[in-house]
Amino acid sequence: MFVRRVARRNRQAMPDMSEALIGVLRQSPTRASPLRGESSSPVPVDGDSRLPLLTIVHQGADAEQPILAEEVMRSLQQIVDERGASERLAAADLSPARTVLFVGPPGVGKTMAATWIAARLSLPLVILDLATVMSSLLGKTGTNLRHAIDYAKQRPCVLLLDELDAIAKRRDDDRDVGELKRLVTVLLQQIDDWPAGAGLVIGATNHAELLDPAVWRRFDVSVGFPLPGPDQRRDAILRFAAEPLPVSVIELALTASKGQSYNDIERVTMQLRRRSVLDNVPLEDLMLKHWGQVVQGLPRAERLQVATTLAEAGTLSQRQISSMTGVSRDTIRGFAQEKSTTSR
Ligand SMILES: Nc1ncnc2c1ncn2[C@@H]1O[C@H](COP(=O)(O)OP(=O)(O)OP(=O)(O)O)[C@@H](O)[C@H]1O
Ligand SMILES: [Mg+2]
């Protein structure tokens, strides 16, 4: 509307521009504006709350690639590649994977990977959060599920069934087992009926073990998303810090962040970056302090381990490592000597 107004107002003063704008408006709503298709059939809503059952994400081709271990990334790439090679696959009597299950703890990039895949396939990502659907009245859930999935079926998209375990979890605190069984059946039918040539269904869950084996088996491929290893943590620290850091700081941060998710590391780093701007203090100082404190809070056995890792990395002096980990310099020197004799 705004562009049209600009075009009209300037018809006299700038006829060429005005004409060009009108031209763009005539063309664009058909293909270039993906929103148009959706406005013709509104996103389904919960009958009672009127809250939308689906979230639709249009991600440009520049969707950020998640940092992932090589084998995980390879699985994701294959999903994308298969879609691009459906004819070759068909010639061999095969079809691209239709349904994929992502399994892993919170904050390791399952949703992000689904967004990335959708972007690579130039498809919108339609997210059905099962935790939200399950919180509606049980009797309504089946209807809601069916409406939501039907909606996704009608357009090329990647459908993300987020928090699949919500269905399983509900079973613990609900008496109505029969109704839940019916729900699982609805879900399975919907997955089974998913048209082969259409989009892709991605299920995401934190607890594969909670899922009904019947649901599990429905997925063509299952991809495990582990917590980040040291290499991925290093990449994550650098990406989130968005500035070069001394090797010693990176080494400390990646050692101290063992067991944390990408999301944990991101939140801490962003907070430190904000602090760095507020106080006008270099980020590396704040990182050294933060991750140093994390190490201090660890039990002695783990501090010993951190000290060894840092000593092996060889980027901090033994004195620095000692003051950071509370492990005596003698002990650290012992490690270093042991290390050098064994490697000799
Ligand atoms: N592998 C990754 N690479 C880069 N950033 C990541 C990665 N994983 C998580 N993040 C960061 O953490 C945020 C949350 O991640 P995401 O929503 O993908 O996690 P999830 O695995 O879907 O978790 P949940 O099980 O809680 O839904 C992302 O938006 C991103 O900023
Ligand atoms: Mg998620």
Side-chain angles (χ1 to χ4, degrees):
M1 277 158 66
F2 175 74
V3 174
R4 182 164 297 137
R5 209 179 313 139
V6 170
R8 276 213 202 105
R9 281 212 191 123
N10 294 284
R11 204 179 287 155
Q12 302 270 306
M14 292 180 253
D16 289 350
M17 182 197 74
S18 164
E19 188 123 328
L21 285 179
I22 298 284
V24 170
L25 280 178
R26 267 202 206 102
Q27 290 167 14
S28 59
T30 48
R31 263 189 30 246
S33 161
L35 287 173
R36 189 174 180 252
E38 269 131 40
S39 62
S40 57
S41 75
V43 175
V45 294
D46 178 66
D48 291 329
S49 65
R50 312 303 297 168
L51 290 172
L53 295 168
L54 296 166
T55 316
I56 300 172
V57 184
H58 292 283
Q59 189 60 268
D62 54 345
E64 204 176 12
Q65 179 171 335
I67 301 163
L68 290 169
E70 214 174 296
E71 65 273 15
V72 182
M73 203 58 220
R74 223 175 305 145
S75 308
L76 300 186
Q77 188 62 52
Q78 180 171 341
I79 295 164
V80 174
D81 292 344
E82 287 181 9
R83 295 265 144 184
S86 45
E87 283 179 19
R88 260 165 62 213
L89 288 172
D93 232 356
L94 297 166
S95 49
R98 241 168 14 109
T99 53
V100 183
L101 184 63
F102 287 174
V103 185
V108 293
K110 299 182 298 297
T111 305
M112 196 179 178
T115 315
W116 180 77
I117 288 182
R120 295 306 303 274
L121 297 172
S122 310
L123 293 173
L125 179 71
V126 174
I127 304 176
L128 172 59
D129 188 339
L130 285 157
T132 315
V133 177
M134 289 304 296
S135 66
S136 53
L137 274 176
L138 205 47
K140 293 264 171 61
T141 309
T143 323
N144 279 347
L145 262 180
R146 230 175 280 121
H147 280 167
I149 299 183
D150 278 344
Y151 173 89
K153 268 184 190 161
Q154 286 159 20
R155 64 214 66 231
C157 67
V158 172
L159 172 63
L160 175 62
L161 303 174
D162 219 352
E163 311 225 23
L164 263 182
D165 39 292
I167 291 194
K169 273 197 206 124
R170 176 87 180 237
R171 182 159 23 196
D172 299 336
D173 37 66
D174 220 298
R175 300 275 153 74
D176 208 345
V177 178
E179 184 61 34
L180 275 165
K181 278 215 172 106
R182 271 194 292 282
L183 261 184
V184 173
T185 314
V186 169
L187 186 66
L188 295 185
Q189 266 169 5
Q190 292 286 346
I191 297 176
D192 281 345
D193 295 348
W194 189 260
L200 177 73
V201 181
I202 300 178
T205 178
N206 296 145
H207 306 278
E209 71 283 359
L210 285 184
L211 283 187
D212 196 312
V215 178
W216 236 122
R217 270 189 279 109
R218 255 8 180 249
F219 290 91
D220 298 333
V221 181
S222 148
V223 183
F225 283 67
L227 285 172
D231 288 344
Q232 289 82 43
R233 293 202 301 277
R234 177 182 289 112
D235 289 353
I237 289 156
L238 282 169
R239 183 190 286 190
F240 301 140
E243 67 178 71
L245 293 167
V247 183
S248 52
V249 174
I250 300 172
E251 218 57 44
L252 170 70
L254 85 88
T255 315
S257 60
K258 188 174 165 203
Q260 301 201 355
S261 71
Y262 296 95
N263 189 229
D264 294 335
I265 297 173
E266 179 179 35
R267 281 182 303 144
V268 163
T269 312
M270 297 317 280
Q271 196 199 358
L272 295 176
R273 277 174 65 184
R274 292 193 297 272
R275 184 86 265 164
S276 151
V277 170
L278 291 181
D279 294 357
N280 199 16
V281 176
L283 177 62
E284 55 178 89
D285 293 359
L286 295 175
M287 287 187 69
L288 206 59
K289 189 162 161 230
H290 171 81
W291 292 112
Q293 271 167 0
V294 171
V295 171
Q296 301 272 331
L298 296 175
R300 182 170 157 82
E302 286 182 39
R303 274 186 288 125
L304 267 173
Q305 225 178 11
V306 173
T308 337
T309 318
L310 288 176
E312 275 173 22
T315 49
L316 290 171
S317 72
Q318 287 176 2
R319 195 166 53 83
Q320 281 175 306
I321 298 174
S322 171
S323 77
M324 222 173 254
T325 58
V327 176
S328 78
R329 283 174 71 184
D330 279 345
T331 316
I332 296 170
R333 205 171 296 128
F335 282 141
Q337 272 161 9
E338 208 176 293
K339 173 83 185 158
S340 68
T341 45
T342 48
S343 63
R344 218 177 276 150

